[in-house]
Amino acid sequence: KTAIVLENIKKVYNMGETQIFALKGISLTIREGEMVAIMGPSGSGKSTLLNIMGCLDRPTGGTYYLGGEDVSRLNRNQLALIRNKRIGFVFQSFNLLGRFPVLANVQLPLVYAGVGKKEMADRAREALDWVGMLKYADHYPGQLSGGQQQRVAIARALVNNPSLILADEPTGALDSRTSIEIISVIQRLNIEKGITVVMVTHEKDIALYCRRLINVKDGRILGDTPVANPGNAA
Ligand code: ADP
Ligand code: ADP
């Protein structure tokens, strides 16, 4: 089964008089259970591509099938629903809410999903336990290290049982030892939970923990190759 099918995806940003052609016709199929890295220089369109895959933004042209369903013509509310049900996000800067304890941060996607209070707490604790952060449930993000915050962010990403996780430079703010620990958690998401993972990174050694490497340049795919011996971060 396919997780993501992109057919000739284009994205144009209108900046007053000028148009920026951020994606110039991207075609790509990612099957369920894959773990894919996207690399490319700054400004090549990686974030734009991830935003479209994540239903955060709509393509200017082309067709996007998410789990077999054409989502390229859905409106903002419909996209928000799909996002909440099926996609988890992990960011470089963790994006946790500093005024709320860890448990509340992890529960957040469930609030939008309308889950009851008791079930929210149970599921958030389960997700925190899975990333090894249950004992920090009552801490605040500011009391945690970068690696711990990213674990919490991963718990938040998986609390809705998504079929797809999109990670934008998930190790970009971490030292190399902590980066490997986080990659190990992401590999477990992929292998133990069978979640499809698409990760943007500019670090080649991090990309080589994925099983497939896609190179983007100037809004186009320059290369798409399997990784011969993907690293095992466990
Ligand atoms: P990358 O993630 O590879 O650095 P981006 O997808 O962020 O690349 O950007 C691709 C191109 O699109 C760049 O030229 C960038 O300046 C432009 N761009 C990205 N987002 C916007 C936006 N919201 N408005 C206008 N231009 C944008
Ligand atoms: P990154 O590549 O690290 O994710 P960027 O600097 O490319 O971050 O983009 C950060 C945000 O700014 C994104 O939401 C992107 O869409 C927006 N952006 C990028 N380039 C431009 C631009 N030229 N004009 C307006 N917004 C932009």
Side-chain angles (χ1 to χ4, degrees), residues 8 43 50-51 59 61 63 66-67 74 77 84 89 97 111-112 124 136 147 156-157 165 171-172 194 206 215 221:
N8 200 24
L50 213 65
N51 286 347
T63 310
L66 175 65
L74 299 183
N77 291 333
N84 203 249
F89 295 91
L97 301 176
V111 175
Y112 299 130
Y136 297 94
R156 180 186 56 190
I165 289 209
T171 63
I206 293 295
N215 264 291
I221 292 181

Side-chain angles (χ1 to χ4, degrees), residues 11-15 20-23 38-51 57 168-169 200 216 218-219:
K11 181 69 185 183
V12 183
Y13 292 110
N14 288 303
M15 304 278 292
I20 295 171
F21 296 87
L23 299 177
I38 298 178
M39 294 196 77
S42 184
S44 57
K46 303 179 300 294
S47 297
T48 301
L49 186 57
L50 213 65
N51 286 347
D57 201 358
D168 197 350
E169 300 277 6
V200 165
V216 175
D218 199 18

Side-chain angles (χ1 to χ4, degrees), residues 25-204:
I26 299 269
S27 297
L28 173 64
T29 296
I30 296 174
R31 292 182 313 282
E32 280 186 0
E34 279 200 84
M35 176 149 168
V36 181
I38 298 178
M39 294 196 77
S42 184
S44 57
K46 303 179 300 294
S47 297
T48 301
L49 186 57
L50 213 65
N51 286 347
I52 288 173
M53 286 180 177
C55 298
L56 291 160
D57 201 358
R58 279 184 298 182
T60 313
T63 310
Y64 175 19
Y65 299 93
L66 175 65
E69 179 189 353
D70 184 352
V71 296
S72 32
R73 274 152 207 88
L74 299 183
N75 67 36
R76 276 173 200 287
N77 291 333
Q78 292 168 317
L79 287 179
L81 266 177
I82 295 223
R83 218 159 52 223
N84 203 249
K85 265 198 215 143
R86 315 221 308 240
I87 308 177
F89 295 91
V90 179
F91 306 94
Q92 174 169 3
S93 46
F94 325 127
N95 293 12
L96 300 174
L97 301 176
R99 293 174 50 238
F100 294 93
V102 161
L103 189 74
N105 269 278
V106 175
Q107 284 181 355
L108 207 59
L110 298 174
V111 175
Y112 299 130
V115 174
K117 248 187 174 173
K118 166 91 169 68
E119 191 188 338
M120 278 206 298
D122 286 349
R123 281 170 62 180
R125 285 205 176 83
E126 195 185 330
L128 281 170
D129 195 23
W130 197 85
V131 300
M133 289 295 291
L134 183 55
K135 58 181 174 293
Y136 297 94
D138 298 326
H139 284 60
Y140 284 80
Q143 300 174 297
L144 306 178
S145 70
Q148 290 174 326
Q149 290 188 57
Q150 195 61 301
R151 282 174 189 269
V152 171
I154 292 171
R156 180 186 56 190
L158 68 83
V159 77
N160 261 352
N161 295 320
S163 53
L164 173 66
I165 289 209
L166 300 176
D168 197 350
E169 300 277 6
T171 63
L174 305 173
D175 64 45
S176 58
R177 192 179 59 89
T178 310
S179 293
I180 302 305
E181 286 173 17
I182 291 304
I183 289 299
S184 161
V185 178
I186 294 175
Q187 285 189 325
R188 281 174 54 221
L189 279 174
N190 177 247
I191 292 164
E192 292 177 18
K193 291 190 178 281
I195 298 175
T196 309
V197 175
V198 180
M199 186 168 87
V200 165
T201 179
H202 64 268
E203 297 167 281
K204 185 72 184 273

